């Protein structure tokens, strides 16, 4: 165990007067650090204060754009925001917090260099802690899921799924085995929330368009199945719009199975609770999320669901100088008429909570009382593919093209930095003028395979498509560079 080196701007062997440690670089982590950076800019540059952001990835992923990235409507580079560009006055540590001892005010962090220099984990001391590690996919003990399931929570998974779908169409076009063809053209999505419905709808649109370039595949050959354990999909947009979404999807020949569970997917056969069996080479799991594992490795109070027990001011309950928001925090919903209700773990709350959290950290540092988090919901929007959507905005229900337009306008407004907004808008404009891209770049997953064969080595073995097994700091796996130059950060209001 080694202590983290002191940051620039301080004398050797000294620490800044205040060090705020932000664990996580997602919505809450990035927006909190950005607001703190703006308000503490002078103290940060003089070395009196320091903001340390610990995150496993050097970018924040704008997850509402993942379905469009998977469909090829947006470049993967424009779905992510490089943290080093946006948080220029913060210290970015690419690594994973493995343990947090708030009693001692220290975090044990494993970095990319841990496996290279042999010095072990880094211990980072702090004064104030902001816990925003987000969430991970919530899986169930379904036989075969770990071997054949594909997640849809990261940009890598979204692009991998796009490549996989087109690859299956290539297999179906070339094979002479009807069973292989049917399995390749059967796509099963489990989970009827935002992620599952939007991913399925966008990919179905993309695959239907792509089929026109195959001489022996028609849109009717493709089979899309949505499995939802409850009696409705998209509960966030309301029951009426949820029913409309089901009718819209079924009208596109998508098999929507409500009140149905996935019992098994062993041997690439999806077995449902209603007795149906579907041989498939594509099973996408989007059935909910759970808090990040780091929360269990802290000495902070947790709820029965594993989230941090927080006050309405976004402070960890019963603990000083510890804050949390987003998916990791159980924050009381002061606007709900029902006692004990907590805010939903979604992006709308995360972005708003980040602003209040940052202001409360600053207030505490200045000796002022913090303020409670209250919200008024603007509504919910969901895309059902190109030019199709549902929206509930300020009590008004919209369907079809108007809802899709509002969906795009809302998320264009919310994506961080002016640079990203301009690039996304430009891509949408060009996509409206030119045809879709139908190229699969699956070889990106094994970039050394061709050279290894040419050099006389062994081919890179094909890995199971378990997209939940992401690269972790210190495991020696090369990382891709998805960052690029960005303009100045957009104001956060």
């Amino acid at each position: 165990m080694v202590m983290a080196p002191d940051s620039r701007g301080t004398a050797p062997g000294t620490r800044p007067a205040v060090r705020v440690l932000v664990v996580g670089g997602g919505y809450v982590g990035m927006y909190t650090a950005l607001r703190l950076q703006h308000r503490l800019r002078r103290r940060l540059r003089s070395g009196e204060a320091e903001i340390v952001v610990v995150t496993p990835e050097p970018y924040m992923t704008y997850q509402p754009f993942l379905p469009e990235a998977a469909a090829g409507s947006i470049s993967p580079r424009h779905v992510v925001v490089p943290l080093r560009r946006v948080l220029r006055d913060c210290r970015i540590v690419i690594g994973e917090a493995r343990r947090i001892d708030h009693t001692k005010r220290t975090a044990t962090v494993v970095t990319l260099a841990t496996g290279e220099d042999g010095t072990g984990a880094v211990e980072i001391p702090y004064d104030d802690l902001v816990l925003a590690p987000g969430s991970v996919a919530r899986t169930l003990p379904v036989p075969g899921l770990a071997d054949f399931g594909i997640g849809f929570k990261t940009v890598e998974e979204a692009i991998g799924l796009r490549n996989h779908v087109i690859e299956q169409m290539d297999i179906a076009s070339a094979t002479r085995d009807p069973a292989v063809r049917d399995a390749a053209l059967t796509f099963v999505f489990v989970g009827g929330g935002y992620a599952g419905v939007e991913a399925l709808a966008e990919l179905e649109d993309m695959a239907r368009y792509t089929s026109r370039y195959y001489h022996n595949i028609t849109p009717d050959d493709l089979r899309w199945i949505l499995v939802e354990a409850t009696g409705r999909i998209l509960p966030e947009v309301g029951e009426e719009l949820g029913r409309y979404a089901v009718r819209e999807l079924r009208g596109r020949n998508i098999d929507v199975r409500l009140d149905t569970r996935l019992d098994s997917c062993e041997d690439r056969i999806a077995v449902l609770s209603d007795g149906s069996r579907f041989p498939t080479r594509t099973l996408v799991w989007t059935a909910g999320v759970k808090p990040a594992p780091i929360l269990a490795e802290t000495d902070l109070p947790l709820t029965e669901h594993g989230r941090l027990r927080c006050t309405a001011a976004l402070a960890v309950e019963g603990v000083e100088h510890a804050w949390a928001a987003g998916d990791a925090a159980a924050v009381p919903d002061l606007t709900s008429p029902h006692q004990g209700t907590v805010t939903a773990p979604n992006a709308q709350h995360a972005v708003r909570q980040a602003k209040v959290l940052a202001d409360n950290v600053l207030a505490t540092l200045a000796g002022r009382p913090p303020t409670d988090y209250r919200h008024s919901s603007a509504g919910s929007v969901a895309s059902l593919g190109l030019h199709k959507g549902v929206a509930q905005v300020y009590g008004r229900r919209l369907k079809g093209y108007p809802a899709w337009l509002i969906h795009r306008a809302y998320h264009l407004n919310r994506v961080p930095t002016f640079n990203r907004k301009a690039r996304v808008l430009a891509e949408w404009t060009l996509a409206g003028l030119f045809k879709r891209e139908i190229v699969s770049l699956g070889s990106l997953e094994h970039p050394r395979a061709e050279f290894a064969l040419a050099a006389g080595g062994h081919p890179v073995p094909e890995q199971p498509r378990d997209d939940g097994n992401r690269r972790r700091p210190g495991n020696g796996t090369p990382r891709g560079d998805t960052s690029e130059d960005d303009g100045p950060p957009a104001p956060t209001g």
Side-chain angles (χ1 to χ4, degrees):
M1 182 79 66
V2 296
M3 296 296 292
D6 293 315
S7 65
R8 64 183 185 277
T10 59
T14 65
R15 275 186 53 193
V18 176
R19 174 181 284 165
V20 179
L21 175 64
V22 180
V23 177
Y27 291 109
V28 175
M30 191 200 77
Y31 278 109
T32 299
L34 183 61
R35 197 168 182 87
L36 290 173
Q37 172 183 265
H38 177 69
R39 300 294 177 85
L40 296 174
R41 191 175 302 277
R42 290 184 179 179
R43 296 178 66 182
L44 290 171
R45 293 182 175 179
S46 68
E48 296 177 25
E50 182 180 39
I51 301 171
V52 180
V53 181
V54 175
T55 172
E57 308 291 356
Y59 51 82
M60 185 274 268
T61 302
Y62 191 71
Q63 291 186 346
F65 279 161
L66 289 183
E68 293 205 46
S73 299
I74 300 177
S75 169
R77 293 176 303 150
H78 303 155
V79 177
V80 299
V81 180
L83 295 178
R84 296 190 190 278
R85 277 284 173 185
V86 176
L87 304 177
R88 295 173 181 173
D89 293 322
C90 298
R91 178 178 157 212
I92 308 297
V93 177
I94 304 303
E96 263 194 83
R98 292 292 175 85
R99 175 160 180 77
I100 294 175
D101 189 340
H102 191 65
T103 303
K104 298 180 180 178
R105 305 285 176 89
T106 59
T108 303
V109 178
V110 174
T111 70
L112 289 173
T114 297
E116 301 291 335
D117 55 23
T119 55
V122 176
E123 194 170 86
I124 301 178
Y126 61 83
D127 298 292
D128 274 76
L129 171 69
V130 176
L131 263 175
S135 57
V136 297
R138 176 177 60 85
T139 59
L140 299 175
V142 177
L145 181 61
D147 297 320
F148 303 113
I150 301 174
F152 196 80
K153 193 166 172 55
T154 68
V155 67
E156 295 89 350
E157 289 172 336
I159 304 311
L161 182 57
R162 168 187 168 81
N163 293 333
H164 174 79
V165 168
I166 298 178
E167 181 183 278
Q168 297 311 303
M169 297 179 70
D170 290 336
I171 292 173
S173 177
T175 185
R176 289 176 289 181
D177 187 333
V180 172
R181 175 186 169 89
D182 289 345
L185 295 181
T186 300
F187 307 95
V188 179
F189 285 68
V190 181
Y194 278 127
V197 172
E198 292 192 336
L200 182 150
E202 291 285 353
L203 284 166
E204 189 272 340
D205 253 352
M206 183 271 295
R208 182 160 26 88
Y209 177 86
T210 303
S211 67
R212 69 178 65 181
Y213 296 99
Y214 289 83
H215 70 283
N216 57 352
I217 296 179
T218 68
D220 291 337
D221 295 329
L222 303 170
R223 185 167 195 178
W224 299 83
I225 303 166
L226 177 63
V227 180
E228 169 54 41
T230 67
R232 56 193 288 197
I233 65 173
L234 297 175
E236 298 87 352
V237 300
E239 191 171 349
E240 180 183 334
L241 290 179
R243 289 196 298 267
Y244 168 82
V246 170
R247 293 196 302 270
E248 166 68 25
L249 295 176
R250 286 174 174 168
R252 289 158 58 180
N253 207 26
I254 296 172
D255 188 353
V256 180
R257 306 252 173 155
L258 303 177
D259 296 310
T260 307
R261 300 180 309 278
L262 175 71
D263 285 344
S264 170
C265 57
E266 289 183 303
D267 301 323
R268 295 186 183 273
I269 298 176
V271 181
L272 307 185
S273 59
D274 61 5
S276 304
R277 297 169 60 89
F278 300 101
T280 178
R281 298 171 61 90
T282 308
L283 190 139
V284 183
W285 181 269
T286 62
V289 296
K290 64 181 179 181
I294 179 58
L295 300 185
E297 301 301 323
T298 71
D299 54 354
L300 301 172
L302 304 178
T303 67
E304 60 274 16
H305 299 295
R307 298 169 73 185
L308 289 165
R309 195 180 301 276
C310 294
T311 68
L314 305 174
V316 177
E317 196 172 273
V319 181
E320 293 183 345
H321 302 288
W323 311 82
D327 292 359
V331 179
D333 188 349
L334 300 183
T335 64
S336 173
H338 305 292
Q339 189 174 6
T341 304
V342 298
T343 57
N346 57 36
Q348 188 175 143
H349 279 301
V351 174
R352 295 180 179 186
Q353 288 174 354
K355 296 178 181 180
V356 177
L357 192 158
D359 289 343
N360 284 346
V361 171
L362 295 168
T364 302
L365 293 176
R368 301 192 307 270
T371 59
D372 290 342
Y373 170 73
R374 294 176 180 270
H375 75 97
S376 56
S377 177
S380 301
V381 292
S383 170
L384 299 178
L386 190 63
H387 301 156
K388 298 173 283 290
V390 291
Q392 188 174 34
V393 183
Y394 296 113
R396 296 191 60 186
R397 299 183 182 91
L398 299 171
K399 308 170 185 175
Y401 187 82
W404 173 82
L405 207 58
I406 289 178
H407 173 272
R408 282 203 160 182
Y410 174 80
H411 287 301
L412 183 66
N413 178 61
R414 290 296 180 180
V415 68
T417 79
F418 176 78
N419 184 306
R420 282 294 176 275
K421 297 177 195 294
R423 289 176 184 271
V424 169
L425 183 59
E427 285 198 304
W428 282 342
T429 303
L430 292 174
L433 298 175
F434 301 101
K435 296 181 179 180
R436 281 180 184 259
E437 292 290 346
I438 60 169
V439 177
S440 167
L441 298 177
S443 59
L444 288 175
E445 298 171 21
H446 303 288
R448 290 194 62 253
E450 187 71 21
F451 181 79
L453 286 173
H458 298 288
V460 177
E462 178 69 20
Q463 299 295 323
R465 285 187 177 273
D466 179 11
D467 295 78
N469 295 331
R470 299 174 58 201
R471 177 205 56 76
R472 292 300 182 188
N475 69 2
T477 305
R479 63 183 303 111
D481 182 10
T482 58
S483 63
E484 60 181 39
D485 283 353
D486 231 333
T492 59

